[in-house]
Amino acid sequence: MAGLDRYESCGVTLLGDLSRPCGVTFAFTERTGGVSKGQFSSLNLGDACGDDPADVAENRRRLLCAVGAGGLLDRLVNPRQVHGDRIVSVTSASDEAVERSRLEAREGADAVVCTVADVPVLLCFADCVPVVVAQPGGFAVAHSGWRGTIARIAAKATLELSRVTGSDPAASVAYIGPHIAGEDYEVSEELLTRFVDEFGEKVALPGRRLDLACAIGLALADVGVDPQNVVDSRVSTPRSTDRFYSYRAEGGSCGRHGAIALMRGDGSDTGAVTTNVFWEGDHL
């Protein structure tokens, strides 16, 4: 598979796959193009890190416009992330069902599976690993910190997606967004040992470094996802704070970038209006 495309839409810089795999529009956001100020500058999408709620709302509105989902803010599913493995599934497009899913997600979840059109899903990050999985008929977005990774949240979300779509996990394409890469992620010996026991030696790098993306890839392979269909952005957030937020590099006081995905209904706008493509495919 080719890599991710970096492009600008409506003033917002995004990483995504412009081919819209399985009919899914998705993107990992960069931190520019918003209205937030100070340590939250500028496209902060997180509503639990101390930023002005009005600025966060405007940033989310801009993001939705950038991915061709303007007007869907009231259908946005945005979980309260709790570093667990709870999954919320959105399988009905009725207003009542979508509102129930929105409320359920706010009770606490770290992955959302969606099989209906015109329901954008947003999860937020600042070092943890964003994962988007697309299949014929739906998609999943997962938040995979170390707790979610060892709990195999992305793999569990893939299996749930397969259950509700009826697609084989082998039909999945998975995208791993910007996160704290293994060479920058020093952990305790105890935690590294736990991961090695769970996933094998491949996840351990010299100097007690932990490769979360490797662990996620292995977990996805274990449920039937072809490793050739897993794309890693290979961008380390602590080394790229000009483009992404990093909790570790910025002393714990920063905004959150996002992973957003949606499918559009028949006759609707089918995705972002791309104004400037910086690079395409595997040049990231």
Side-chain angles (χ1 to χ4, degrees):
M1 289 180 63
L4 292 163
D5 308 307
R6 185 177 185 228
Y7 62 97
E8 182 182 281
S9 178
C10 301
V12 174
T13 303
L14 304 168
L15 303 178
D17 186 338
L18 291 171
S19 72
R20 299 181 60 249
C22 304
V24 176
T25 296
F26 80 91
F28 305 111
T29 67
E30 299 198 10
R31 66 185 294 169
T32 54
V35 300
S36 294
K37 306 166 187 67
Q39 70 266 40
F40 306 115
S41 178
S42 68
L43 192 75
N44 169 46
L45 300 168
D47 61 2
C49 54
D51 196 4
D52 184 335
D55 287 348
V56 175
E58 172 60 17
N59 292 339
R60 291 182 175 186
R61 185 197 67 78
R62 293 186 179 197
L63 171 59
L64 290 174
C65 289
V67 296
L72 294 179
L73 186 60
D74 61 346
R75 292 171 69 81
L76 178 69
V77 178
N78 171 234
R80 180 176 63 87
Q81 296 162 206
V82 293
H83 294 274
D85 64 350
R86 184 166 179 249
I87 301 166
V88 170
S89 294
V90 187
T91 57
S92 171
S94 73
D95 291 344
E96 295 80 6
V98 171
E99 186 59 25
R100 283 196 300 270
S101 295
R102 281 162 49 91
L103 293 173
E104 184 182 355
R106 294 308 292 178
E107 292 174 359
D110 286 275
V112 176
V113 165
C114 183
T115 60
V116 298
D118 298 333
V119 178
V121 174
L122 171 69
L123 277 72
C124 299
F125 305 83
D127 287 337
C128 292
V129 189
V131 184
V132 175
V133 179
Q135 287 180 6
F139 65 86
V141 185
H143 163 253
S144 192
W146 75 258
R147 291 177 179 84
T149 300
I150 206 164
R152 299 175 178 249
I153 179 65
K156 290 176 179 176
T158 301
L159 289 177
E160 173 63 9
L161 178 60
S162 291
R163 186 188 71 80
V164 295
T165 63
S167 295
D168 191 291
S172 304
V173 288
Y175 298 83
I176 297 174
H179 62 280
I180 185 168
E183 61 267 23
D184 299 317
Y185 191 31
E186 182 178 355
V187 299
S188 68
E189 191 67 44
E190 177 186 6
L191 184 60
L192 191 63
T193 298
R194 286 179 61 190
F195 269 82
V196 169
D197 289 345
E198 180 70 22
F199 297 103
E201 294 286 348
K202 289 183 178 180
V203 302
L205 301 178
R208 295 204 322 270
R209 263 65 176 186
L210 173 59
D211 190 338
L212 292 175
C214 178
I216 292 166
L218 291 168
L220 290 171
D222 283 346
V223 298
V225 179
D226 186 339
Q228 294 186 351
N229 288 339
V230 179
V231 176
D232 185 351
S233 68
R234 301 190 183 280
V235 176
S236 185
T237 45
R239 300 191 186 198
S240 308
T241 53
D242 57 326
R243 294 173 58 194
F244 302 97
Y245 299 102
S246 171
Y247 189 89
R248 181 169 287 204
E250 298 179 77
S253 181
C254 65
R256 303 291 188 270
H257 47 267
I260 189 165
L262 77 155
M263 300 184 296
R264 296 310 311 259
D266 293 341
S268 299
D269 180 6
T270 56
V273 178
T274 304
T275 57
N276 186 21
V277 178
F278 298 123
W279 55 59
E280 295 180 276
D282 56 1
H283 298 99
L284 185 64

